[in-house]
Amino acid sequence: MRFRFLVLAAILAAPTVASAEMSVTFDWGKIPRCTTGRPNVVDSPQFVLKDVPEGTTHLLFRMIDRDDTWADHGQKKLKLNATGDVTIPAGSFKYLSPCPKGAIHTYEWHVTAFKGMKPVITAWRQGNYPN
């Protein structure tokens, strides 16, 4: 019991290092306006990623409609040759556009960094469409 207490005390007393969290921002860009409920195949927006972990080999992009979780907008995996702050240019991949039927929906882009086959961290950002 005393040993467990000493281990716990050592862990609590150890200095902590602040680690950066990966973050992502995006802009819908010039996608055609769509409110029919039938998405179009469009070019991806530009993504700006901050603090991509060192050793990241690829990124997985996925868009989710928070108001219609059954909608499948696809996903895309991109090889990555950089870490730190990274910009993924608009048009890097195709996906099914946001296209809510007669309403504004909240969409969320999830970007997962992988080292080989292992997911390391996921960042996400929401945006309303149409906005």
Side-chain angles (χ1 to χ4, degrees), residues 21-89:
E21 291 286 327
M22 186 173 78
S23 65
V24 61
T25 57
F26 73 94
D27 184 313
W28 291 119
K30 298 178 180 179
I31 61 173
R33 184 174 173 85
C34 184
T35 56
T36 64
R38 294 185 308 272
N40 300 299
V41 175
V42 296
D43 288 336
S44 62
Q46 174 178 291
F47 295 93
V48 176
L49 302 164
K50 300 287 185 190
D51 299 316
V52 174
E54 191 171 324
T56 298
T57 57
H58 58 277
L59 299 168
L60 179 69
F61 292 81
R62 182 167 182 241
M63 187 178 74
I64 298 168
D65 183 340
R66 301 308 296 169
D67 299 298
D68 181 4
T69 55
W70 292 101
D72 183 5
H73 293 274
Q75 60 185 16
K76 181 64 176 178
K77 190 182 288 188
L78 296 179
K79 289 184 180 181
L80 187 67
N81 296 321
T83 57
D85 296 347
V86 177
T87 298
I88 307 297

Coordinates of all heavy atoms in Angstrom, one line a residue, residues 21-89:
E21 N -2.5 20.5 -29.3 CA -3.6 19.7 -29.9 C -3.7 20.1 -31.3 O -3.7 21.3 -31.6 CB -4.9 20.0 -29.1 CG -4.9 19.5 -27.7 CD -5.1 18.0 -27.6 OE1 -5.8 17.4 -28.5 OE2 -4.5 17.4 -26.7
M22 N -3.8 19.1 -32.2 CA -4.0 19.4 -33.6 C -5.4 20.1 -33.7 O -6.4 19.8 -33.1 CB -4.0 18.1 -34.4 CG -4.1 18.4 -35.9 SD -3.9 16.9 -36.9 CE -5.5 16.1 -36.7
S23 N -5.4 21.1 -34.6 CA -6.7 21.8 -34.9 C -6.9 22.0 -36.4 O -5.9 21.9 -37.2 CB -6.7 23.2 -34.2 OG -5.7 24.0 -34.8
V24 N -8.1 22.2 -36.8 CA -8.4 22.3 -38.2 C -9.4 23.5 -38.4 O -10.3 23.7 -37.6 CB -9.0 21.0 -38.8 CG1 -10.3 20.6 -38.1 CG2 -9.2 21.1 -40.3
T25 N -9.2 24.2 -39.5 CA -10.2 25.2 -40.0 C -10.4 25.0 -41.5 O -9.6 24.4 -42.1 CB -9.7 26.7 -39.7 OG1 -8.5 26.9 -40.4 CG2 -9.6 27.0 -38.3
F26 N -11.6 25.4 -41.9 CA -11.9 25.2 -43.4 C -12.9 26.3 -43.8 O -13.5 27.0 -42.9 CB -12.5 23.9 -43.6 CG -13.9 23.7 -43.1 CD1 -15.0 24.0 -44.0 CD2 -14.2 23.3 -41.8 CE1 -16.3 23.8 -43.5 CE2 -15.5 23.2 -41.4 CZ -16.5 23.4 -42.2
D27 N -13.0 26.5 -45.1 CA -14.0 27.4 -45.7 C -14.7 26.7 -46.8 O -14.1 25.9 -47.5 CB -13.2 28.6 -46.2 CG -14.1 29.7 -46.8 OD1 -15.1 29.3 -47.5 OD2 -13.9 30.9 -46.5
W28 N -16.0 26.8 -46.8 CA -16.8 26.0 -47.9 C -16.3 26.3 -49.3 O -16.4 25.5 -50.2 CB -18.3 26.3 -47.8 CG -18.9 25.8 -46.5 CD1 -19.6 26.5 -45.6 CD2 -19.0 24.4 -46.2 NE1 -20.0 25.6 -44.6 CE2 -19.7 24.3 -44.9 CE3 -18.6 23.2 -46.7 CZ2 -20.0 23.2 -44.3 CZ3 -18.8 22.0 -46.0 CH2 -19.6 22.0 -44.8
G29 N -15.7 27.5 -49.5 CA -15.2 27.8 -50.8 C -16.3 28.1 -51.8 O -17.3 28.6 -51.4
K30 N -16.1 27.7 -53.0 CA -17.0 28.0 -54.1 C -17.9 26.8 -54.5 O -18.1 26.6 -55.7 CB -16.2 28.5 -55.3 CG -15.4 29.8 -55.0 CD -14.6 30.2 -56.2 CE -13.9 31.5 -55.8 NZ -13.1 32.0 -56.9
I31 N -18.3 26.0 -53.6 CA -19.2 24.9 -53.9 C -20.5 25.4 -54.4 O -21.0 26.5 -53.9 CB -19.3 23.9 -52.8 CG1 -19.9 24.5 -51.6 CG2 -18.0 23.2 -52.5 CD1 -20.3 23.5 -50.5
P32 N -21.2 24.8 -55.3 CA -22.5 25.2 -55.8 C -23.5 25.1 -54.6 O -23.5 24.2 -53.8 CB -22.9 24.2 -56.9 CG -21.7 23.5 -57.2 CD -20.7 23.6 -56.0
R33 N -24.4 26.1 -54.5 CA -25.4 26.1 -53.5 C -26.3 24.9 -53.7 O -26.7 24.7 -54.8 CB -26.2 27.4 -53.5 CG -27.2 27.5 -52.4 CD -27.8 28.9 -52.4 NE -28.9 29.0 -51.5 CZ -28.8 29.3 -50.2 NH1 -27.6 29.5 -49.7 NH2 -29.9 29.4 -49.4
C34 N -26.6 24.2 -52.6 CA -27.4 23.0 -52.7 C -28.4 22.9 -51.5 O -27.9 22.9 -50.4 CB -26.5 21.8 -52.8 SG -27.4 20.2 -53.1
T35 N -29.7 22.9 -51.8 CA -30.7 22.7 -50.7 C -31.8 21.7 -51.1 O -32.9 21.8 -50.6 CB -31.3 24.1 -50.4 OG1 -31.9 24.6 -51.6 CG2 -30.3 25.1 -49.8
T36 N -31.4 20.8 -52.0 CA -32.4 19.9 -52.6 C -32.4 18.5 -51.8 O -33.3 17.7 -51.9 CB -32.1 19.5 -54.0 OG1 -30.8 18.9 -54.1 CG2 -32.1 20.7 -54.9
G37 N -31.4 18.3 -51.0 CA -31.3 17.0 -50.3 C -30.5 16.0 -51.1 O -30.3 14.9 -50.7
R38 N -30.1 16.4 -52.3 CA -29.3 15.5 -53.2 C -27.9 16.1 -53.4 O -27.8 17.0 -54.3 CB -30.0 15.3 -54.5 CG -31.4 14.6 -54.4 CD -32.0 14.3 -55.7 NE -32.2 15.5 -56.6 CZ -33.2 16.3 -56.6 NH1 -34.2 16.1 -55.8 NH2 -33.3 17.3 -57.4
P39 N -26.9 15.7 -52.6 CA -25.6 16.3 -52.7 C -24.9 16.1 -54.1 O -25.3 15.2 -54.9 CB -24.8 15.5 -51.7 CG -25.8 14.8 -50.8 CD -27.0 14.6 -51.7
N40 N -24.1 17.1 -54.4 CA -23.3 17.0 -55.6 C -21.9 16.5 -55.3 O -21.4 16.7 -54.1 CB -23.1 18.5 -56.2 CG -24.4 19.1 -56.5 OD1 -25.2 18.6 -57.3 ND2 -24.8 20.2 -55.8
V41 N -21.2 16.0 -56.3 CA -19.7 15.7 -56.1 C -19.0 16.9 -56.4 O -19.1 17.5 -57.4 CB -19.3 14.5 -57.0 CG1 -17.8 14.3 -56.9 CG2 -20.1 13.3 -56.8
V42 N -18.2 17.4 -55.4 CA -17.5 18.7 -55.5 C -16.1 18.5 -55.0 O -15.7 17.6 -54.3 CB -18.2 19.8 -54.6 CG1 -19.6 20.0 -55.2 CG2 -18.3 19.4 -53.2
D43 N -15.3 19.6 -55.3 CA -13.9 19.6 -54.8 C -13.9 20.0 -53.3 O -14.8 20.7 -52.8 CB -13.1 20.7 -55.5 CG -12.8 20.4 -56.9 OD1 -12.7 19.1 -57.2 OD2 -12.6 21.3 -57.7
S44 N -13.0 19.4 -52.6 CA -12.8 19.7 -51.1 C -12.5 21.1 -50.9 O -11.9 21.8 -51.7 CB -11.7 18.8 -50.6 OG -10.5 19.1 -51.1
P45 N -12.8 21.6 -49.7 CA -12.4 23.0 -49.3 C -10.9 23.0 -49.0 O -10.3 22.0 -48.9 CB -13.3 23.3 -48.1 CG -13.7 22.0 -47.6 CD -13.7 21.0 -48.7
Q46 N -10.4 24.2 -48.8 CA -9.1 24.3 -48.3 C -9.1 24.1 -46.7 O -10.0 24.5 -46.1 CB -8.5 25.7 -48.5 CG -7.1 25.9 -47.8 CD -6.6 27.3 -48.1 OE1 -6.2 27.6 -49.2 NE2 -6.5 28.1 -47.1
F47 N -8.2 23.3 -46.2 CA -8.1 23.0 -44.8 C -6.8 23.6 -44.3 O -5.7 23.4 -45.0 CB -8.1 21.5 -44.5 CG -9.4 20.8 -44.9 CD1 -9.5 20.3 -46.1 CD2 -10.4 20.8 -44.0 CE1 -10.7 19.6 -46.5 CE2 -11.6 20.1 -44.3 CZ -11.8 19.6 -45.6
V48 N -6.8 24.2 -43.1 CA -5.6 24.7 -42.5 C -5.5 23.9 -41.2 O -6.4 24.0 -40.3 CB -5.6 26.2 -42.2 CG1 -4.4 26.6 -41.5 CG2 -5.7 27.0 -43.5
L49 N -4.4 23.1 -41.1 CA -4.2 22.3 -39.9 C -3.1 22.9 -39.1 O -2.0 23.3 -39.6 CB -3.8 20.9 -40.3 CG -4.9 20.2 -41.2 CD1 -4.3 18.9 -41.8 CD2 -6.1 19.8 -40.3
K50 N -3.2 22.9 -37.8 CA -2.2 23.4 -36.9 C -1.7 22.2 -36.0 O -2.6 21.4 -35.5 CB -2.7 24.5 -36.0 CG -3.2 25.8 -36.7 CD -2.1 26.6 -37.3 CE -2.6 27.8 -37.9 NZ -1.6 28.5 -38.7
D51 N -0.4 22.2 -35.8 CA 0.2 21.2 -34.9 C -0.1 19.7 -35.3 O -0.4 18.9 -34.5 CB -0.3 21.4 -33.4 CG 0.1 22.8 -32.9 OD1 1.2 23.2 -33.2 OD2 -0.7 23.5 -32.3
V52 N 0.1 19.4 -36.6 CA 0.0 18.0 -37.0 C 1.2 17.3 -36.4 O 2.3 17.8 -36.5 CB 0.1 18.0 -38.6 CG1 0.1 16.5 -39.0 CG2 -1.1 18.7 -39.2
P53 N 0.9 16.2 -35.7 CA 2.0 15.5 -35.0 C 3.2 15.0 -35.9 O 2.9 14.6 -37.0 CB 1.3 14.3 -34.3 CG -0.1 14.6 -34.4 CD -0.3 15.5 -35.5
E54 N 4.4 15.1 -35.4 CA 5.5 14.6 -36.1 C 5.3 13.1 -36.3 O 4.8 12.4 -35.5 CB 6.8 14.8 -35.2 CG 8.0 14.6 -36.0 CD 9.3 15.0 -35.2 OE1 9.2 16.1 -34.6 OE2 10.3 14.3 -35.3
G55 N 5.8 12.7 -37.5 CA 5.6 11.2 -37.9 C 4.3 10.9 -38.5 O 4.1 9.7 -38.9
T56 N 3.4 11.9 -38.7 CA 2.1 11.6 -39.3 C 2.4 11.2 -40.8 O 3.1 11.9 -41.5 CB 1.2 12.8 -39.3 OG1 0.9 13.1 -37.9 CG2 -0.1 12.6 -40.1
T57 N 1.8 10.1 -41.2 CA 2.0 9.6 -42.6 C 0.9 9.9 -43.5 O 1.0 10.0 -44.7 CB 2.3 8.0 -42.5 OG1 1.1 7.4 -41.9 CG2 3.5 7.7 -41.8
H58 N -0.3 10.0 -42.9 CA -1.5 10.3 -43.7 C -2.6 10.9 -42.9 O -2.6 10.8 -41.6 CB -2.0 9.2 -44.6 CG -2.4 8.0 -43.8 ND1 -1.5 7.0 -43.4 CD2 -3.6 7.5 -43.4 CE1 -2.1 6.0 -42.8 NE2 -3.4 6.3 -42.7
L59 N -3.6 11.6 -43.5 CA -4.7 12.2 -42.9 C -6.0 11.6 -43.4 O -6.1 11.3 -44.7 CB -4.7 13.7 -43.1 CG -3.5 14.5 -42.6 CD1 -3.6 15.9 -43.1 CD2 -3.5 14.5 -41.1
L60 N -7.0 11.4 -42.6 CA -8.3 10.9 -43.0 C -9.3 12.0 -42.8 O -9.4 12.5 -41.7 CB -8.7 9.6 -42.3 CG -10.1 9.1 -42.6 CD1 -10.0 8.5 -44.0 CD2 -10.5 8.0 -41.6
F61 N -10.0 12.4 -43.9 CA -11.0 13.5 -43.9 C -12.3 12.9 -44.0 O -12.6 12.0 -44.8 CB -10.8 14.4 -45.1 CG -9.5 15.2 -45.0 CD1 -8.3 14.7 -45.4 CD2 -9.5 16.5 -44.5 CE1 -7.1 15.4 -45.3 CE2 -8.4 17.3 -44.4 CZ -7.2 16.7 -44.8
R62 N -13.3 13.3 -43.1 CA -14.6 12.8 -43.1 C -15.6 14.0 -42.7 O -15.3 14.6 -41.7 CB -14.8 11.7 -42.2 CG -16.2 11.1 -42.2 CD -16.2 9.7 -41.5 NE -17.5 9.1 -41.5 CZ -18.2 8.9 -40.5 NH1 -17.7 9.1 -39.3 NH2 -19.4 8.4 -40.6
M63 N -16.7 14.1 -43.5 CA -17.6 15.2 -43.1 C -18.9 14.5 -42.6 O -19.4 13.5 -43.2 CB -18.0 16.0 -44.3 CG -18.9 17.2 -43.9 SD -19.3 18.3 -45.3 CE -20.5 17.3 -46.2
I64 N -19.4 15.0 -41.5 CA -20.6 14.5 -40.9 C -21.7 15.6 -40.8 O -21.4 16.7 -40.5 CB -20.3 14.0 -39.5 CG1 -19.3 12.9 -39.5 CG2 -21.6 13.6 -38.7 CD1 -18.7 12.5 -38.2
D65 N -22.9 15.2 -41.2 CA -24.1 16.1 -41.0 C -24.6 15.9 -39.6 O -25.2 14.8 -39.4 CB -25.1 15.8 -42.1 CG -26.3 16.8 -42.1 OD1 -26.5 17.4 -41.0 OD2 -27.0 16.8 -43.1
R66 N -24.5 16.8 -38.7 CA -24.9 16.7 -37.3 C -26.4 16.6 -37.2 O -26.9 16.1 -36.2 CB -24.4 17.8 -36.5 CG -22.9 18.0 -36.4 CD -22.1 16.7 -36.1 NE -22.4 16.2 -34.8 CZ -22.0 15.0 -34.3 NH1 -21.4 14.2 -35.1 NH2 -22.3 14.7 -33.1
D67 N -27.1 17.1 -38.3 CA -28.6 17.1 -38.2 C -29.2 15.9 -39.0 O -30.4 15.7 -38.9 CB -29.1 18.4 -38.8 CG -28.7 19.6 -38.0 OD1 -29.0 19.7 -36.8 OD2 -27.9 20.4 -38.5
D68 N -28.4 15.2 -39.7 CA -28.8 14.0 -40.4 C -27.6 13.0 -40.5 O -26.9 12.9 -41.4 CB -29.2 14.3 -41.9 CG -29.7 13.1 -42.7 OD1 -29.8 12.0 -42.1 OD2 -30.0 13.3 -43.9
T69 N -27.5 12.3 -39.3 CA -26.3 11.4 -39.2 C -26.3 10.2 -40.1 O -25.3 9.5 -40.2 CB -26.2 10.9 -37.7 OG1 -27.4 10.3 -37.3 CG2 -25.9 12.1 -36.8
W70 N -27.4 10.0 -40.8 CA -27.5 8.9 -41.8 C -26.9 9.3 -43.1 O -26.5 8.4 -43.9 CB -28.9 8.4 -42.0 CG -29.5 7.7 -40.8 CD1 -30.3 8.3 -39.9 CD2 -29.2 6.4 -40.3 NE1 -30.6 7.4 -38.9 CE2 -29.9 6.2 -39.1 CE3 -28.4 5.4 -40.8 CZ2 -29.8 5.1 -38.4 CZ3 -28.3 4.2 -40.1 CH2 -29.0 4.0 -38.9
A71 N -26.7 10.6 -43.4 CA -26.1 11.0 -44.6 C -24.7 10.6 -44.7 O -23.9 10.9 -43.8 CB -26.3 12.5 -44.7
D72 N -24.3 10.0 -45.8 CA -22.9 9.6 -46.0 C -22.2 10.5 -47.0 O -22.6 10.5 -48.2 CB -22.8 8.2 -46.4 CG -21.4 7.7 -46.6 OD1 -20.4 8.4 -46.2 OD2 -21.2 6.5 -47.0
H73 N -21.3 11.3 -46.6 CA -20.6 12.3 -47.5 C -19.3 11.7 -48.0 O -18.5 12.4 -48.6 CB -20.5 13.6 -46.9 CG -21.8 14.3 -46.6 ND1 -22.4 15.1 -47.6 CD2 -22.6 14.3 -45.6 CE1 -23.5 15.5 -47.2 NE2 -23.7 15.1 -45.9
G74 N -18.9 10.5 -47.6 CA -17.7 9.9 -48.0 C -16.5 10.3 -47.1 O -16.7 11.1 -46.1
Q75 N -15.4 9.7 -47.3 CA -14.2 10.0 -46.6 C -13.0 9.8 -47.6 O -13.1 9.2 -48.6 CB -14.0 9.1 -45.4 CG -13.9 7.7 -45.6 CD -13.9 6.9 -44.3 OE1 -14.2 7.4 -43.3 NE2 -13.5 5.6 -44.4
K76 N -11.9 10.5 -47.2 CA -10.7 10.4 -48.1 C -9.5 10.4 -47.3 O -9.4 11.2 -46.3 CB -10.7 11.7 -49.1 CG -9.6 11.7 -50.0 CD -9.6 10.5 -51.0 CE -8.5 10.6 -52.0 NZ -8.5 9.5 -52.9
K77 N -8.6 9.5 -47.6 CA -7.3 9.5 -47.0 C -6.2 10.1 -47.9 O -6.2 9.7 -49.1 CB -6.9 8.0 -46.7 CG -5.7 7.8 -45.8 CD -5.4 6.3 -45.6 CE -6.4 5.7 -44.7 NZ -6.1 4.3 -44.3
L78 N -5.4 11.0 -47.4 CA -4.4 11.6 -48.1 C -3.0 11.4 -47.5 O -2.9 11.5 -46.2 CB -4.6 13.2 -48.2 CG -5.8 13.7 -48.9 CD1 -5.8 15.2 -48.7 CD2 -5.8 13.3 -50.3
K79 N -2.0 11.0 -48.3 CA -0.6 10.9 -47.8 C -0.2 12.3 -47.4 O -0.6 13.3 -48.0 CB 0.3 10.3 -48.9 CG 0.0 8.9 -49.1 CD 1.0 8.3 -50.1 CE 0.7 6.8 -50.4 NZ 1.7 6.3 -51.3
L80 N 0.7 12.3 -46.4 CA 1.2 13.6 -45.9 C 2.7 13.5 -45.8 O 3.3 12.6 -45.3 CB 0.6 13.9 -44.5 CG 0.9 15.2 -43.9 CD1 0.2 16.3 -44.7 CD2 0.4 15.3 -42.5
N81 N 3.4 14.6 -46.3 CA 4.8 14.7 -46.3 C 5.3 15.8 -45.4 O 6.4 16.4 -45.6 CB 5.4 14.8 -47.7 CG 5.1 13.6 -48.5 OD1 5.2 12.5 -48.0 ND2 4.8 13.8 -49.8
A82 N 4.4 16.3 -44.5 CA 4.8 17.5 -43.6 C 4.1 17.3 -42.3 O 3.2 16.5 -42.1 CB 4.3 18.7 -44.3
T83 N 4.7 18.0 -41.3 CA 4.1 18.1 -40.0 C 4.1 19.5 -39.5 O 4.5 20.4 -40.2 CB 4.8 17.2 -39.0 OG1 6.2 17.6 -38.9 CG2 4.8 15.7 -39.3
G84 N 3.5 19.7 -38.3 CA 3.4 21.1 -37.8 C 2.2 21.8 -38.4 O 1.1 21.2 -38.4
D85 N 2.4 23.0 -39.0 CA 1.2 23.7 -39.6 C 1.2 23.3 -41.1 O 2.2 23.5 -41.8 CB 1.4 25.2 -39.4 CG 1.3 25.6 -37.9 OD1 0.9 24.7 -37.1 OD2 1.7 26.7 -37.6
V86 N 0.1 22.8 -41.5 CA -0.1 22.3 -42.9 C -1.3 22.9 -43.5 O -2.4 22.9 -42.9 CB -0.2 20.8 -42.9 CG1 -0.4 20.2 -44.2 CG2 1.1 20.2 -42.2
T87 N -1.2 23.3 -44.8 CA -2.4 23.7 -45.5 C -2.7 22.6 -46.6 O -1.8 22.3 -47.4 CB -2.2 25.1 -46.2 OG1 -2.0 26.0 -45.2 CG2 -3.4 25.5 -47.1
I88 N -3.9 22.1 -46.6 CA -4.3 21.2 -47.7 C -5.1 22.0 -48.7 O -6.2 22.6 -48.3 CB -5.2 20.1 -47.1 CG1 -4.5 19.4 -45.9 CG2 -5.7 19.1 -48.2 CD1 -3.2 18.6 -46.3
P89 N -4.6 22.2 -49.9 CA -5.3 23.1 -50.9 C -6.7 22.6 -51.2 O -7.0 21.4 -51.2 CB -4.4 23.0 -52.1 CG -3.1 22.4 -51.7 CD -3.4 21.5 -50.4

